[in-house]
Amino acid sequence: MIDLKSFLKREKMTKAALCRKIGIDPKSSLLSAYEKGRSCPSYDVCVKLLEAGMMVEELFGVEYKKMHQEFI
């Protein structure tokens, strides 16, 4: 699940603005599906989200934190 709320708040951006920035139709429900864990973004979308300023922790959420703890 993507931590979209934190990212949008930090960047002072709306979901519609983010959609336009990464090339997703603002009327689609893709971002909500990513946020709720009902769908996973493709590699290309992940790259675009990172290029838009999203942090790895926000993109991969709990899964990343668990994996990161295992390597420490």
Side-chain angles (χ1 to χ4, degrees), residues 56-72:
V56 172
E57 295 86 358
E58 293 167 329
L59 182 57
F60 296 111
V62 175
E63 294 84 7
Y64 173 80
K65 290 177 185 175
K66 286 180 185 176
M67 185 178 68
H68 184 69
Q69 290 298 324
E70 291 175 10
F71 289 110
I72 294 179

Side-chain angles (χ1 to χ4, degrees), residues 4-72:
L4 195 58
K5 187 176 181 178
S6 295
F7 171 70
L8 293 173
K9 185 176 180 179
R10 188 182 78 247
E11 294 294 319
K12 297 178 177 114
M13 186 183 301
T14 64
K15 283 185 180 181
L18 178 60
C19 283
R20 286 190 295 276
K21 192 170 191 169
I22 64 173
I24 294 177
D25 180 5
K27 294 179 183 177
S28 82
S29 60
L30 270 177
L31 283 183
S32 292
Y34 298 156
E35 188 174 28
K36 294 175 182 171
R38 288 183 281 140
S39 183
C40 294
S42 67
Y43 174 81
D44 292 336
V45 172
C46 287
V47 169
K48 289 177 183 178
L49 288 167
L50 291 169
E51 288 174 344
M54 186 172 275
M55 295 187 296
V56 172
E57 295 86 358
E58 293 167 329
L59 182 57
F60 296 111
V62 175
E63 294 84 7
Y64 173 80
K65 290 177 185 175
K66 286 180 185 176
M67 185 178 68
H68 184 69
Q69 290 298 324
E70 291 175 10
F71 289 110
I72 294 179

